[in-house]
Amino acid sequence: MELKIGFVGLGNMGYPMAQNFLKQFGSVMVFNRTKEKCLNLKKDGAAVAADLKDLMEHCNVIGLSLPGPKEVEAVVKELLSYSKEGQIIMDFSTISPDLAVKLHESAKEHGVKYYDMPVSGGPAGAQKAALSIMIGAEKEEVEHDGLLPVLEAIGKTFHFMHKRGNGEAIKIINNYMAFAIQVINGEALAMADALDMEQDAFYHVVATSTGNNTMLSAKMNKVKNQEFAPGFALDLAVKDMELARDCCNDLQMPNFTLNTALQMYRLAQKKGCGKLDSSSVIQVIRDLEKKGNA
């Protein structure tokens, strides 16, 4: 199958992913609700779709990188209304496992393949084509559909999770763990603050000891400099934790840590941090413990 790649959603993750498709395959057609985001890619040689119908008329493999379930469901519904048998949708967004299965079934009715393929690695990983991709399918199916070269253009590590929805399931579990760890990091830093401990000493000891974690090192400079330009916005962290909470509700299982962490992020939203980086929750926690704020 000759790959004719289209891409929808040029946010912090989608834009560098589309760049890498253009670099790898020499062509890509892009669509974004805000047209300005298409202009630089157009200068580099990308085609810009007038609308989703135009995209579906010219592409047989369509990638999605959208904010959440509402946007994904709306876009997929519209794409399917213009679809031709044999087209493939690769959804790199983070949505619920149930919605991924629903979209897979809906796509089948149109003769279209839908894959849930959420990614991890942040904008830096997207820029370096080094994303970790969690795939709701068997490797053999992905290979049969000729999609490995597409994945290799943006990713470095591939996890085949055997069935539709499982890509999304492991992604929201992973994100819940990462965001809950940031709450622990914030409370630990608040303890260090209360003990008048130098921040650099805190990081040096923990980074070389058993308390170290990926989020601690990844967000260290943002926290130390109190500069929270978004890599992964706090509003999106709340969305992902709510997806994890909904999954627990569907399974009728308790998750005390998830609910506690979610409330901390909601508090950070109330304090105006929604559009800032998710690590801004750490500063909110530290501020709570300062004298006069407790």
Side-chain angles (χ1 to χ4, degrees):
M1 177 180 69
E2 181 187 359
L3 292 172
K4 297 178 181 178
I5 297 175
F7 199 87
V8 182
L10 300 177
N12 287 343
M13 296 294 291
Y15 189 92
M17 292 166 72
Q19 279 184 313
N20 286 324
F21 286 136
L22 182 60
K23 187 185 303 181
Q24 180 67 26
F25 298 107
S27 65
V28 66
M29 177 175 273
V30 297
F31 178 79
N32 195 73
R33 298 292 183 190
T34 307
K35 294 293 186 182
E36 289 75 12
K37 292 188 176 182
C38 300
L39 296 181
N40 286 337
L41 283 171
K42 184 177 181 180
K43 291 176 185 176
D44 291 337
V48 178
D51 49 31
L52 293 178
K53 181 179 180 182
D54 187 26
L55 191 85
M56 291 300 273
E57 286 177 352
H58 291 89
C59 303
N60 55 10
V61 176
I62 297 90
L64 308 180
S65 180
L66 299 167
K70 181 180 176 181
E71 294 83 0
V72 169
E73 187 167 20
V75 167
V76 171
K77 181 179 179 180
E78 188 172 350
L79 290 174
L80 292 177
S81 72
Y82 306 127
S83 65
K84 300 184 290 287
E85 189 170 348
Q87 289 177 302
I88 297 171
I89 298 172
M90 303 172 72
D91 186 5
F92 304 113
S93 319
T94 302
I95 61 174
S96 72
D98 286 348
L99 179 56
V101 172
K102 175 185 173 182
L103 295 176
H104 165 61
E105 294 297 332
S106 181
K108 273 204 308 185
E109 294 174 4
H110 290 78
V112 174
K113 281 281 191 79
Y114 170 90
Y115 284 95
D116 56 302
M117 296 180 165
V119 300
S120 183
Q127 289 163 10
K128 296 174 184 176
L131 293 170
S132 174
I133 306 177
M134 291 143 269
I135 302 154
E138 298 283 2
K139 183 177 181 181
E140 292 76 13
E141 183 183 2
V142 174
E143 288 178 327
H144 177 269
D145 287 338
L147 299 179
L148 281 183
V150 182
L151 296 176
E152 289 166 353
I154 59 171
K156 193 172 184 180
T157 308
F158 311 124
H159 306 281
F160 296 92
M161 301 303 297
H162 309 302
K163 64 180 183 179
R164 297 301 193 276
N166 269 9
E168 298 295 351
I170 191 62
K171 173 65 189 295
I172 62 175
I173 292 171
N174 174 79
N175 280 17
Y176 145 59
M177 293 174 69
F179 298 135
I181 285 168
Q182 285 200 134
V183 172
I184 294 173
N185 291 345
E187 291 179 336
L189 272 164
M191 290 173 65
D193 293 339
L195 292 165
D196 293 324
M197 188 179 299
E198 290 184 1
Q199 193 170 207
D200 284 340
F202 168 87
Y203 276 109
H204 179 73
V205 172
V206 176
T208 56
S209 304
T210 54
N212 192 29
N213 58 78
T214 301
M215 295 300 283
L216 186 79
S217 55
K219 303 296 186 179
M220 178 179 67
N221 288 333
K222 286 183 179 293
V223 174
K224 286 175 67 175
N225 298 323
Q226 296 186 35
E227 294 176 355
F228 297 107
F232 192 98
L234 189 136
D235 280 342
L236 292 178
V238 170
K239 181 264 295 183
D240 287 358
M241 285 192 289
E242 287 177 341
L243 289 173
R245 177 207 58 196
D246 291 345
C247 189
C248 289
N249 289 343
D250 290 343
L251 295 167
Q252 296 185 318
M253 62 177 291
N255 193 320
F256 302 103
T257 305
L258 168 56
N259 286 317
T260 299
L262 178 55
Q263 301 318 309
M264 285 295 192
Y265 281 84
R266 284 183 172 158
L267 176 62
Q269 281 182 314
K270 288 291 186 184
K271 291 186 174 292
C273 298
K275 305 303 180 188
L276 301 179
D277 191 75
S278 66
S279 58
S280 59
V281 72
I282 292 174
Q283 192 58 46
V284 170
I285 293 169
R286 295 173 78 184
D287 289 343
L288 283 175
E289 298 302 325
K290 289 180 180 178
K291 289 181 180 179
N293 289 337

